[in-house]
Amino acid sequence: QQPVQSPQAVILREGEDAVINCSSSKALYSVHWYRQKHGEAPVFLMILLKGGEQKGHDKISASFNEKKQQSSLYLTASQLSYSGTYFCGTTGEAGTALIFGKGTTLSVSS
Amino acid sequence: DAGVIQSPRHEVTEMGQEVTLRCKPISGHDYLFWYRQTMMRGLELLIYFNNNVPIDDSGMPEDRFSAKMPNASFSTLKIQPSEPRDSAVYFCASSFGQPNEQFFGPGTRLTVL
């Protein structure tokens, strides 16, 4: 079952914050976040395993609420380099394949 | 390490022709994934291998698509015969363990005329 991402697109000015959500209708074992710039391959940001943990990576962090089957990606004080399409991917059980959402396009302008 | 290597980077072919895409995963990685990306359908998993064995091919669109991994350092995705609707960017990715960070190759942009 493909996870649902929201919003589909976000437009920001440098320094502004954004939240991207990812939800699933089935129980989740892990949530993965990737960023893809135009014409390039997706690049790994972080992985969250069930347990409600939160992770951070510079000014990008994420949370995982396994009971609600949701994850959120937080981008604070956005930079121009944050522009791209963000994908969440989910697995239902350990060892199963990653299913990606349709992506959220983030545009940061100066 | 050079990362995941894919070839060719671009392929233009005519409907009905056979197309073979190639992938060399990162050395030591035991999982290999083939994805297809289009504007309409997003990033779709086609098939993945663990230790050279196909584990899940439920994403392969139809019998025209086949994938092999004869050894730990090489995989192919073949489309025969190709159709215009197969036009997409095909990514290969590898990881050490699952679930874990997947390293994507640069992709092959396939255009079927």
Side-chain angles (χ1 to χ4, degrees):
Chain A
Q1 190 91 23
Q2 186 178 45
V4 177
Q5 289 186 235
S6 63
Q8 285 187 306
V10 183
I11 299 175
L12 298 175
R13 289 285 181 94
E14 267 188 302
E16 293 181 335
D17 302 340
V19 180
I20 299 172
N21 300 302
C22 176
S23 64
S24 174
S25 60
K26 59 186 285 186
L28 299 177
Y29 179 81
S30 67
V31 179
H32 307 224
W33 288 96
Y34 286 76
R35 177 171 62 205
Q36 184 180 30
K37 293 185 179 288
H38 184 68
E40 300 180 6
V43 173
F44 176 81
L45 292 175
M46 64 188 77
I47 179 173
L48 303 101
L49 301 179
K50 68 177 183 179
E53 65 178 290
Q54 183 153 349
K55 280 197 171 181
H57 176 66
D58 285 338
K59 293 178 182 176
I60 301 175
S61 62
S63 63
F64 177 24
N65 186 324
E66 61 179 287
K67 287 184 180 178
K68 292 187 176 180
Q69 297 153 198
Q70 294 175 347
S71 177
S72 294
L73 185 71
Y74 307 93
L75 301 104
T76 58
S78 60
Q79 306 167 15
L80 295 175
S81 62
Y82 286 5
S83 293
T85 301
Y86 289 78
F87 292 95
C88 74
T90 58
T91 66
E93 299 172 2
T96 57
L98 202 56
I99 307 298
F100 284 99
K102 288 193 178 295
T104 296
T105 300
L106 178 70
S107 300
V108 182
S109 60
S110 56
Chain B
D1 201 319
V4 176
I5 299 172
Q6 291 187 246
S7 65
R9 294 293 307 276
H10 302 272
E11 177 82 26
V12 180
T13 190
E14 295 194 346
M15 184 173 63
Q17 296 297 304
E18 178 178 295
V19 174
T20 299
L21 310 182
R22 297 172 175 79
C23 175
K24 176 178 168 58
I26 292 173
S27 177
H29 282 188
D30 56 348
Y31 281 83
L32 184 138
F33 308 84
W34 282 101
Y35 293 94
R36 178 174 67 176
Q37 187 173 38
T38 61
M39 288 294 292
M40 290 296 294
R41 301 175 70 89
L43 195 57
E44 301 175 276
L45 176 68
L46 299 177
I47 185 171
Y48 77 97
F49 297 83
N50 177 219
N51 291 322
N52 314 337
V53 177
I55 302 300
D56 184 354
D57 66 353
S58 59
M60 297 286 260
E62 47 199 274
D63 292 346
R64 298 184 297 107
F65 285 69
S66 62
K68 293 182 180 180
M69 192 165 185
N71 56 62
S73 58
F74 184 65
S75 178
T76 59
L77 178 67
K78 187 174 293 186
I79 308 172
Q80 166 64 16
S82 58
E83 296 183 2
R85 61 191 167 122
D86 301 331
S87 298
V89 178
Y90 291 81
F91 288 105
C92 172
S94 70
S95 70
F96 179 67
Q98 172 77 349
N100 204 350
E101 174 180 0
Q102 292 186 19
F103 294 81
F104 281 75
T108 295
R109 182 172 295 276
L110 174 65
T111 302
V112 183
L113 303 174

